[in-house]
Amino acid sequence: ENTFDPDKGEYGISTAADLLAFSQALVTKNDAFSGKTVYLNADIDMAGQTTWANCGFGGGTFDGRGHTISNLDIGNFRGMFAWAHGEIKNFTLKDSVIGNNEKSANVGAIVAGNTNNRSANLTISNVHVINTNVSGKGGKVGGLIGNTQGSNAKTEITIENCSFIGGKINSKGADIGGIVGFATGIEKLTVKNCEVSSAEISGTTTTNTKTTSVGGVLGRVNKSIDCTIEACSVCNVTVTANENGCGGLV
């Protein structure tokens, strides 16, 4: 039986109850796992679970060890993590619902925003989002990260060997991307060996909202950022915007 004790340096998650306990503990102290590792011991089905607590993950490592989290329905929240720095790796999120296009902006399946105004880096690797719907109102919506906004010019984000496959990304607003919605407020963004396929990425037209900057990999990148897209692919993806700035990659 798992006990929730961050002082041990590692926390193993084996059940839906364990995963919920982890999310709820972050509400109390979102940097409780700084320098520590949280890992999945098994595939976890979150169907019927309604007590997810959306908060940031600060400074540790979340290692899925190749396991899958499925049926995570957090339509009232903006991402699996509200913000993150540290390392997130090695798991699949599938058949899930993230965000709601009647609610706030800055929505991503894995991370809504980057660092919660902290000067710390983030690496996401070997994370795959499959058959999942991601949506938000007001823009900055991405398949993995909604908005990279950070307060420190030296912050770096790396996303590598990740994918968004078979789902939908939609927003009533601008800056919508298959991997990242809006890249801003950081020094460097690297997206490497990532795939977006069999997906729909679109902006929804409303009376007062025009959707612009919709891309297969990135929605929009601030011109001050050192941004690298390397060895990425976009295949069988529909990208649509009702105003301008619509591209296969960016």
Side-chain angles (χ1 to χ4, degrees):
E1 180 180 354
N2 287 322
T3 57
F4 197 87
D5 186 359
D7 293 333
K8 290 183 177 180
E10 291 188 343
Y11 177 60
I13 295 174
S14 300
T15 66
D18 291 339
L19 189 57
L20 289 174
F22 165 68
S23 74
Q24 290 158 1
L26 290 175
V27 173
T28 302
K29 189 177 182 183
N30 48 48
D31 62 353
F33 295 93
S34 180
K36 301 177 174 65
T37 298
V38 179
Y39 58 87
L40 299 183
N41 284 320
D43 295 342
I44 297 176
D45 186 350
M46 297 296 290
Q49 304 295 328
T50 60
T51 57
W52 183 264
N54 185 239
C55 199
F57 179 67
T61 297
F62 185 93
D63 186 354
R65 294 187 172 180
H67 292 294
T68 296
I69 298 171
S70 59
N71 298 307
L72 180 63
D73 188 343
I74 50 174
N76 290 323
F77 295 117
R78 298 183 293 118
M80 184 173 169
F81 298 111
W83 55 267
H85 55 90
E87 187 174 14
I88 300 172
K89 63 183 181 179
N90 301 333
F91 71 97
T92 296
L93 176 68
K94 75 172 187 177
D95 300 331
S96 297
V97 176
I98 311 295
N100 184 323
N101 64 12
E102 295 300 330
K103 292 187 177 290
S104 63
N106 303 322
V107 180
I110 306 302
V111 180
N114 175 26
T115 61
N116 195 32
N117 295 323
R118 302 184 183 207
S119 56
N121 298 335
L122 171 65
T123 298
I124 302 178
S125 60
N126 297 308
V127 173
H128 307 285
V129 180
I130 299 175
N131 295 334
T132 290
N133 292 339
V134 183
S135 60
K137 181 179 181 179
K140 302 173 181 62
V141 177
L144 271 76
I145 298 178
N147 186 357
T148 68
Q149 179 68 55
S151 64
N152 188 287
K154 300 300 182 183
T155 300
E156 298 183 7
I157 296 178
T158 300
I159 305 170
E160 57 185 347
N161 302 318
C162 294
S163 63
F164 185 91
I165 300 173
K168 296 180 180 180
I169 303 169
N170 175 267
S171 176
K172 292 180 178 179
D175 310 328
I176 309 162
I179 301 295
V180 176
F182 184 34
T184 187
I186 59 174
E187 180 180 41
K188 185 175 183 179
L189 172 67
T190 301
V191 183
K192 183 177 180 180
N193 294 326
C194 290
E195 173 189 353
V196 181
S197 63
S198 302
E200 296 180 17
I201 305 170
S202 64
T204 301
T205 303
T206 66
T207 302
N208 298 317
T209 302
K210 295 180 179 180
T211 58
T212 63
S213 303
V214 182
V217 175
L218 305 179
R220 181 161 64 104
V221 181
N222 190 303
K223 64 182 180 180
S224 66
I225 292 176
D226 178 2
C227 179
T228 299
I229 301 175
E230 180 180 344
C232 293
S233 64
V234 177
C235 181
N236 193 30
V237 173
T238 301
V239 181
T240 57
N242 74 305
E243 183 67 9
N244 54 46
C246 181
L249 290 177
V250 180

